[in-house]
Amino acid sequence: MADVLTRNNVTVAGRPDGQPMVFAHGFGCDQNMWRFVTPAFEGDYRIVLFDLVGLGGSDWSAYDPARYGSLAGYADDVLEISRALELTDIVFVGHSVSSMIGALAAVEEPERFARLVMVGPSPRYINDSDYAGGFSLTDIEGLLESLDSNYLGWSAATAPAIMGNSDRPELGTELTNSFCRTDPDIARHFARVTFRSDNRADLPEVRTPTLILQCSEDVIAPDPVGEYVHRAIDRSTLVRLRATGHCPNLSAPEETIAAIRSFL
Amino acid sequence: MSDDAPPDPAAVADDSEALYEDAPSGALVTLADGTIVRVNRTLLRWLGRPPEDVLCRPFRELLAPGDRIYYETHYAPLLLMQHEVSGVAVTLVCADGSGVPCMISSMLRPAEQDRPAAILTTLFEATDRRTYEQELLRARKGARAAEERAHALARSLQQSLLPPALPDVPGLDVAAAYHPVGQGLDVGGDFYDVFEMATGTWALLVGDVSGKGAAAAGVTAAARYAARGAAVRSTMPSDVLRAVNRALLRDGSDHYCTMCYVAVRAVDEGGVRLVLSSGGHPLPLRVRRDGGIEGVGSPGTALGLLDEVTLHDDEVILAPGDALIVYTDGVTDGRRGDAFFGEERLFGALDELRGAPVSVIATSLVDRVVGFQEGWPRDDVAVVALMPRP
């Protein structure tokens, strides 16, 4: 059991006897993405945060391209974490691609999940004949090149600590860019898996009540995609946020918190 | 007299507007959501756009599509979390469709009473830098591929130097176990062989060539073939080793080898009679069924070093239940910090494994030696075990 919790860098906070809220970060960063959101729920819920294998503080050596060749591998990890912590009645909050990971987990073991919250979900990013995912294959190739060219994804050298950032004292000496740290090979593989995924067929199987938070002008998960997810999941509610961009959990935490609270 | 007062430096220092507008780098100010509220002349010039095409648009629209995804999933979140990001490579898309490779850095200034949060971004034109980086990336990929090919070659070479399976020797159970030095990415020097010299007479040899790599591999092959060839002509183990010595000296390589050669003389219900000779090699051990462990044979000179070598032939009897263990110094020389695996551990292991089948003895012993070195042995490890068949 300890292995799973270490493997995924699981942190538990909040009320030990509270209903579990599991927060899953999306492509690009790690569980720190939720730092402005989770404090609002710590009083009432048991907060569980984790890193996807290959990102953040997870065990990168556990990254098996075969297991994580599809989102199902990550969904299995979520279920393993849930079993290890004996979580039931789970509120699963997934950002971006982790919305789909949550959906897959909830389809696999529906009795474990009470609610799903999807922040900026997309079941498929690449355009199809009658589906506008938002991206072409060339766009995704461009992303892979971007990943190759950028030091954020490179871990070999130790990043310098943020020094004297007086307006963010709470960051202290956290390593610069540590939230988006990963191994370049893992980054490439995960990018491929995420952006070439197609989970449209899984959505109708989701029976768990689902909240979809749709941002305005989110290029990663645009409006029509949010609509698609809403139509495909029977028991879903779509809430349009005023926040723009793809990370309302960071750019508009209060609005995000309020929307989730209303739903729960 | 004309007024030629010198130009006033303050006139330049005070002109911050010019510094901003015509700076050698692009500069812009956006709201926290990325909406561009100010853009300098330099950036507009790079983009080939008038200000009205850029102002009030989201910053990400200036980037190539792949970079937009990167910006939304990495850059923007980092900026929101730590308020600064620097040195990220992106490509700007110009009005004419061409791309300008840039390095960008941003700083988020939090909201204050009288004004909203703002992001200040500078862009450095980095075409040459990008070309250089791409060359480096290409070279790195090429180097990785070459390294992988070399490892594959080493692995297959190593495999070809060891017998894929040991033959069935009448009346004897024989087993071998082997682990290459390090991670098996290079060719090591240990080798062993079991073969029929003439109909019904069998021999076993275990050897260790100094060094690693392709040259050592060559000496390994030479030693094996020299031994096999000599075995046809001569039944005395010391003669076989002398022939190997001559062959290695003839080849003139810098590598030498140690070798132990064991010839099977007779097999009956009473046990097995062996004659063996050791050339600089750790003496084989006879593990007696009734409890003793002793080295057998006599030390001799290593092969491939000197014209004149001292070698002995010694007879060894294995009673039923006895085992003969021939090993390489990778066993006793196994290292963990300052400690060696050594003879004491070796004898201890053989004590514990007494009575086990030869395959278990060989594999177990190698596993223990490799495990002692935490999976990363500093030399090849090879063990051959033989026992009269019950």
Side-chain angles (χ1 to χ4, degrees), chain A residues 27-30 32-33 35-36 96 135 138-143 145-154 162-163 165 167-168 171 175-180 182 184-185 188 195 217-220 244-247 250-251, chain B residues 32-35 56-58 60-61 64-91 102-105 107-111 130 133-134 137 140-141 144:
Chain A
F27 175 76
C29 295
D30 68 10
N32 285 286
M33 299 266 310
R35 54 177 40 195
F36 303 139
S96 190
F135 301 101
T138 327
D139 294 338
I140 305 308
E141 290 303 316
L143 167 67
E145 273 171 36
S146 206
L147 287 170
D148 273 345
S149 304
N150 279 302
Y151 80 111
L152 294 181
W154 294 49
I162 307 167
M163 303 294 267
N165 197 340
D167 68 322
R168 298 303 311 280
L171 289 185
L175 293 177
T176 310
N177 306 330
S178 63
F179 318 119
C180 293
T182 185
D185 292 325
R188 286 197 125 239
F195 286 96
E217 299 172 44
D218 180 353
V219 291
I220 311 280
T244 58
H246 189 54
C247 304
L250 282 174
S251 64
Chain B
D33 68 359
T35 309
C56 299
R57 305 300 314 155
R60 61 166 186 271
E61 270 186 12
D67 291 336
R68 282 182 213 184
I69 306 174
Y70 188 82
Y71 181 83
E72 291 295 337
T73 53
H74 292 73
Y75 198 90
L78 262 183
L79 199 48
L80 290 166
M81 279 192 277
Q82 64 186 29
H83 286 199
E84 64 189 67
V85 189
S86 65
V88 169
V90 295
T91 301
C102 286
M103 300 287 279
I104 60 172
S105 299
M107 181 268 220
L108 175 74
R109 211 172 49 193
R130 178 71 60 84
E133 279 170 3
Q134 279 167 350
L137 273 177
R140 204 176 89 118
K141 278 192 183 128
R144 261 187 176 178

Side-chain angles (χ1 to χ4, degrees), chain B residues 105-312:
Chain B
S105 299
S106 298
M107 181 268 220
L108 175 74
R109 211 172 49 193
E112 272 158 55
Q113 265 188 334
D114 58 345
R115 75 168 181 221
I119 299 171
L120 313 176
T121 300
T122 29
L123 303 88
F124 293 93
E125 202 268 343
T127 312
D128 288 343
R129 172 60 45 165
R130 178 71 60 84
T131 311
Y132 178 59
E133 279 170 3
Q134 279 167 350
E135 280 304 313
L136 283 179
L137 273 177
R138 229 192 314 273
R140 204 176 89 118
K141 278 192 183 128
R144 261 187 176 178
E147 202 181 19
E148 272 163 28
R149 278 196 302 273
H151 290 160
L153 190 60
R155 272 193 297 275
S156 68
L157 187 57
Q158 187 68 70
Q159 272 161 22
S160 73
L161 294 173
L162 296 173
L166 291 182
D168 192 26
V169 181
L172 268 185
D173 282 335
V174 188
Y178 165 81
H179 194 289
V181 56
Q183 287 185 307
L185 299 174
D186 202 350
V187 188
D190 281 6
F191 62 98
Y192 57 85
D193 211 350
V194 176
F195 55 91
E196 209 171 1
M197 298 184 285
T199 328
T201 49
W202 289 84
L204 150 75
L205 62 84
V206 177
D208 182 358
V209 172
S210 64
K212 293 191 264 290
V219 174
T220 304
R224 266 178 86 193
Y225 296 137
R228 279 194 177 227
V232 172
R233 293 187 303 275
S234 166
T235 55
M236 294 307 289
S238 60
D239 287 338
V240 172
L241 294 186
R242 268 193 194 86
V244 172
N245 186 53
R246 281 193 301 275
L248 294 187
L249 289 172
R250 222 175 20 240
D251 280 354
S253 101
D254 285 337
H255 298 266
Y256 64 91
C257 94
T258 69
M259 192 185 283
C260 179
Y261 185 92
V262 182
V264 182
R265 279 286 184 267
V267 179
D268 56 41
E269 315 78 56
V272 173
R273 190 155 59 88
L274 310 163
V275 181
L276 57 87
S277 184
S278 167
H281 198 84
L283 294 183
L285 301 172
R286 175 171 50 191
V287 182
R288 285 189 193 272
R289 185 204 194 149
D290 63 8
I293 303 177
E294 70 256 354
V296 293
S298 324
T301 323
L303 310 176
L305 285 171
L306 306 167
D307 288 329
E308 293 293 322
V309 288
T310 310
L311 297 163
H312 306 272

Side-chain angles (χ1 to χ4, degrees), chain B residues 278-351:
Chain B
S278 167
H281 198 84
L283 294 183
L285 301 172
R286 175 171 50 191
V287 182
R288 285 189 193 272
R289 185 204 194 149
D290 63 8
I293 303 177
E294 70 256 354
V296 293
S298 324
T301 323
L303 310 176
L305 285 171
L306 306 167
D307 288 329
E308 293 293 322
V309 288
T310 310
L311 297 163
H312 306 272
D313 295 291
D314 291 295
E315 192 178 90
V316 177
I317 310 274
L318 291 184
D322 290 351
L324 186 76
I325 313 295
V326 191
Y327 62 97
T328 58
D329 62 9
V331 170
T332 39
D333 285 355
R335 209 51 193 278
R336 187 204 210 106
D338 282 337
F340 287 96
F341 189 83
E343 261 192 9
E344 222 178 282
R345 281 192 185 82
L346 171 56
F347 279 38
L350 290 174
D351 244 333

Side-chain angles (χ1 to χ4, degrees), chain A residues 3-251:
Chain A
D3 282 337
V4 168
L5 303 183
T6 315
R7 181 191 69 190
N8 285 99
N9 193 27
V10 177
T11 45
V12 183
R15 265 181 66 178
D17 63 340
Q19 182 181 17
M21 268 182 101
V22 177
F23 289 85
H25 69 86
F27 175 76
C29 295
D30 68 10
Q31 59 184 266
N32 285 286
M33 299 266 310
W34 297 108
R35 54 177 40 195
F36 303 139
V37 171
T38 52
F41 297 96
E42 270 169 21
D44 299 310
Y45 295 85
R46 188 180 183 200
I47 310 292
V48 177
L49 288 152
F50 70 97
D51 294 332
L52 298 178
V53 170
L55 293 150
S58 70
D59 179 2
W60 297 0
S61 68
Y63 188 86
D64 172 9
R67 178 183 175 88
Y68 300 111
S70 83
L71 299 181
Y74 294 102
D76 286 338
D77 284 358
V78 168
L79 294 172
E80 277 177 22
I81 294 169
S82 306
R83 272 177 229 126
L85 292 173
E86 293 175 353
L87 305 177
T88 51
D89 211 30
I90 299 171
V91 174
F92 186 92
V93 184
H95 178 240
S96 190
V97 66
S98 286
S99 313
M100 290 302 117
I101 291 171
L104 292 175
V107 166
E108 184 67 29
E109 285 186 24
E111 60 283 358
R112 251 187 220 281
F113 294 86
R115 294 272 195 281
L116 283 179
V117 176
M118 298 185 170
V119 184
S122 174
R124 181 185 157 108
Y125 296 89
I126 299 181
N127 298 326
D128 199 1
S129 48
D130 56 352
Y131 171 85
F135 301 101
S136 67
L137 263 175
T138 327
D139 294 338
I140 305 308
E141 290 303 316
L143 167 67
L144 296 178
E145 273 171 36
S146 206
L147 287 170
D148 273 345
S149 304
N150 279 302
Y151 80 111
L152 294 181
W154 294 49
S155 65
T158 312
I162 307 167
M163 303 294 267
N165 197 340
S166 58
D167 68 322
R168 298 303 311 280
E170 68 271 25
L171 289 185
T173 52
E174 276 170 320
L175 293 177
T176 310
N177 306 330
S178 63
F179 318 119
C180 293
R181 229 175 358 120
T182 185
D183 170 272
D185 292 325
I186 295 177
R188 286 197 125 239
H189 194 255
F190 185 38
R192 275 220 158 81
V193 170
T194 298
F195 286 96
R196 294 168 86 125
S197 63
D198 189 340
N199 293 101
R200 291 176 293 176
D202 297 298
L203 296 179
E205 317 253 318
V206 176
R207 296 273 170 260
T208 316
T210 303
L211 170 68
I212 300 160
L213 294 184
Q214 177 65 46
C215 282
S216 320
E217 299 172 44
D218 180 353
V219 291
I220 311 280
D223 260 347
V225 170
E227 280 287 336
Y228 182 96
V229 176
H230 177 42
R231 279 195 309 273
I233 299 180
D234 231 3
R235 304 167 70 185
S236 67
T237 313
L238 177 71
V239 169
R240 277 205 175 69
L241 300 176
R242 281 187 319 274
T244 58
H246 189 54
C247 304
N249 44 349
L250 282 174
S251 64

